[in-house]
Amino acid sequence: VQLQASGGGWVQGGGSLRLSCSASGRAVRRWDMGWFRHAPGKEREFVAGIRQRGDTRYAESVKGRFTISRDNAKNMVYLQMNSLKPEDTAVYYCAAAASNLISSSVTQSAAYDYWGQGTQVTVSS
């Protein structure tokens, strides 16, 4: 199982980016997937998650600005990020859980079994 995150870059505040996570080894429709981020000097934090059944969950800090989605035909998971803020600057990681997650576990990094290598997002003010 391999995950590959891409799509990061530099953007001015208020701009948009779309992150992509490609998966190999198993169909993403069989996984619960999540996006996490890690900013310098901070702990890794949950950003968004999507379960097999399609329900989604977001961190309060990104609600209304970020959207997680999945394209089962392409075996991809996306994170559309709009209205970006400097505080969104971080390395973003996609993750997959080998077993179905209960709702309360979606936000917990320890619940995920596989991780991509991360992609840097930098938002300037």
Side-chain angles (χ1 to χ4, degrees), residues 42-101:
K42 297 183 179 180
E43 293 187 355
R44 181 169 56 187
E45 64 175 355
F46 168 79
V47 177
I50 183 167
R51 295 200 293 176
Q52 290 183 33
R53 66 189 69 183
D55 57 311
T56 58
R57 190 161 181 178
Y58 297 92
E60 287 297 323
S61 59
V62 306
K63 271 184 182 178
R65 300 189 297 122
F66 291 11
T67 303
I68 187 171
S69 62
R70 179 169 58 205
D71 186 330
N72 293 335
K74 295 182 178 180
N75 222 33
M76 298 283 289
V77 175
Y78 303 101
L79 185 68
Q80 178 66 43
M81 306 186 296
N82 299 328
S83 302
L84 282 161
K85 305 174 181 179
E87 50 264 44
D88 294 317
T89 295
V91 178
Y92 284 71
Y93 299 88
C94 63
S99 56
N100 295 348
L101 299 178

